[in-house]
Amino acid sequence: MSPVTTGEPEGEYGGNVVPYRLKWRPRGVRPGAHPGQGDGGDGTFRTLVPLVARPDPRRIDLRASLRDPFEGVHVRTFAPRRATTVAVLTDLSGSMGFDGTGAEVARLAATLAASAAATGDEFTLIGAGGDLREDAFIPATRRRGLGAQVAAAISDATPSGTSTRGLATAAERLPRRRCLVFLVSDFLMPEADLDLTLDALWRHDVVPVLLRDSRTEGDVPAWGLMEVADAETGGRRLVFMRPGLRARWQATARARIAALEAHFVTRGYAPFHLVNRFDADALVAFLAGR
Amino acid sequence: MLGLDVDHPALLFLLVLALLPLGALPLRGAALPSVALVPRDGLSIAVSLGIRLAGTFAIGALVLGLAGLNLKAREVERIGSGANLMLLIDRSASMDNTFADRAPGAGEESKSAAAKRLLTEFLGRRPRDRIGIAAFSTSPIPVLPLTDHHEAVAAAVAAIDRPGLALTDVGRGLALALDSFDASAASGGSRAILLVSDGAAVIDPRVQAALRDSLKRSPVRLYWLFLRTVGSPGIFDKPRVPGEDTPQAMPERHLNLFLASLGVPYRAFEAGSPQAVADAIAEIDRQESQPIPYLERIPRRDLTRLCYGLAAAACSLLLAARLAERGLGARRRTATDLPGIDTRRAA
């Protein structure tokens, strides 16, 4: 499966559209692309039921009724097609200010915004660091050409602060109905804060997007000196790089990623790994396998 | 104990600047989302500490260099074996003549030249003596205080055959020589005055009293090397007629008597020829040999160059650290160069 190019002129962003489907049936009244809950007069054919079970003579399936050797009268039932809301809940704490991370998040969010528009779903962007960030908040909308706006909002919002507690608060801005939430973060947060956020998102279908950069996972020169500065606290530490330390660094990083994955698995979530660059093909493959 | 000193103490306030490198490294630094991603590493901490200390050291050494750090001039007590020897040399005009009392001709040497040659040899045999030189003529002339710098002594001795002055004032010369023994000479070792003259003069009674007085307080050995000119009165001559036995008539005899009456070890050598002078000096050489403590003056040593050298070394360390700095580089295009991580794991 590859991303569909819609041809809509949305600039740098939104050219790619990734198809997605839901594992659950959205509620709601607005017609959309996803099979929804309940019965409806149109939409995806679901099954045939006896007329006594659903006394709706308008939907009598004549061919099925005639074919029935027991001469029962059958009525067609349909699943209604409903729209849902796609939300990108992005971490804007200081660590997200790491070189180039914001641009990749912008591309991911813009692609999702364009995809939501193409699928007929609403899209909302919520950014939060220590607190909710109003400059990175776009209420749920179905407007077209949202990709560029989303990308600009993320690019302009300078990540700051040392806390991610705002993510839990931001969950209140999400629709009351279950929706698809992409939780974008590097997840460099205490486990308690991560649990707080995931608890607040219990209602929703959460796709953790794990932002990774190979440079932070030990893809560094074998020899040399480097003074690393913490993007959040500004604390500095000298690293005397050498092959042995690099191997330890990489092992530490692998252990951290494995621990994070295990944590998500306990809640039934599978994270999407955004490594270095946003790759739309990888996202398509990931969403197809959910 | 090190006698460290600085020329400009006000500059030492700049030493506060040496604390600055403790707070920051001379590196650009690379931002990471979190430094906790980097494993703890003892060697890195040690290197970091080393760089900080090198910075502190560089600034500290520079400031000390600017302030002009030096080792103060000081005095060190040393033990030599020999004597504190004061050479008291007659510089009267008659010393310029030969022993035959003539102006020196070809192949002859004057009394002062002979004394110079013999004293130079004498000094060569006694490298551990502390020697001072005083001269006297119409007035006493301090030439060199007691010292163990034998080049200076040799140079002073080499100058005694310069043309002399008029008269001979032995008494004040002796007083000057006695005053030349300083406190260090008093602490130990034998002290001697070697009077080299070719004549004598009447010593004023007041000067006589002063000499007796100071010799009582600090006794010294006295040697008189009398360079006797042919035909002149000797120091051991008996008066031929009783009326002649006055200091005015026979100053040599009476100076000898006066010196002998002072109550300190005293020997007189009457030398009528260069050979006799050599014998007399050999005798003195035998007599004066005891361990003596003395103070040696060590000149100030400038440590500025050392400071600048150390600062340069520390700076080159910092430069090496700066050159060894590597950055994180640009964001990678793909994840394929990340070993052991499957980017499509979740797919």
Side-chain angles (χ1 to χ4, degrees), chain B residues 79-164:
Chain B
I79 304 286
S81 107
N84 297 296
L85 187 59
M86 202 66 205
L87 301 180
L88 182 60
I89 296 169
D90 188 354
R91 300 281 287 116
S92 64
S94 59
M95 286 289 282
D96 297 337
N97 294 337
T98 64
F99 284 92
D101 203 10
R102 285 195 304 260
E108 296 174 313
E109 62 179 352
S110 65
K111 284 178 280 188
S112 58
K116 165 191 168 185
R117 179 170 55 81
L118 292 160
L119 286 175
T120 306
E121 281 174 20
F122 172 68
L123 294 176
R125 285 203 302 275
R126 302 181 64 86
R128 284 182 290 278
D129 276 353
R130 299 185 68 220
I131 296 173
I133 295 181
F136 66 94
S137 175
T138 312
S139 289
I141 310 165
V143 178
L144 196 64
L146 278 174
T147 176
D148 57 347
H149 294 290
H150 284 250
E151 295 89 352
V153 174
V157 167
I160 65 171
D161 61 345
R162 297 278 161 197

Side-chain angles (χ1 to χ4, degrees), chain A residues 244-268:
Chain A
L245 181 64
R246 187 167 64 167
R248 264 169 59 206
W249 190 339
Q250 290 167 354
T252 311
R254 276 198 292 273
R256 178 182 158 266
I257 298 297
L260 261 180
E261 283 215 347
H263 196 86
F264 287 131
V265 162
T266 58
R267 290 176 180 259

Side-chain angles (χ1 to χ4, degrees), chain B residues 26 41 56 78 125 131 150 201 207 209 234 316:
Chain B
D41 179 39
T56 299
R78 298 241 167 111
R125 285 203 302 275
I131 296 173
H150 284 250
V207 178
S316 56

Side-chain angles (χ1 to χ4, degrees), chain B residues 249-312:
Chain B
M250 303 183 73
E252 288 81 9
R253 171 177 155 77
H254 281 269
L255 178 60
N256 184 30
L257 291 175
F258 167 66
L259 294 176
S261 70
L262 286 174
V264 292
Y266 165 67
R267 282 196 68 177
F269 302 94
E270 194 176 78
S273 65
Q275 181 55 44
V277 173
D279 292 345
I281 282 180
E283 176 67 24
I284 297 168
D285 196 12
R286 271 196 301 281
Q287 298 245 339
E288 298 296 336
S289 182
Q290 284 181 32
I292 51 164
Y294 61 93
L295 289 178
E296 184 184 355
R297 189 175 167 79
I298 296 180
R300 157 201 163 108
R301 223 181 106 209
D302 209 350
L303 297 179
T304 314
R305 278 169 176 279
L306 182 71
C307 288
Y308 288 143
L310 289 175

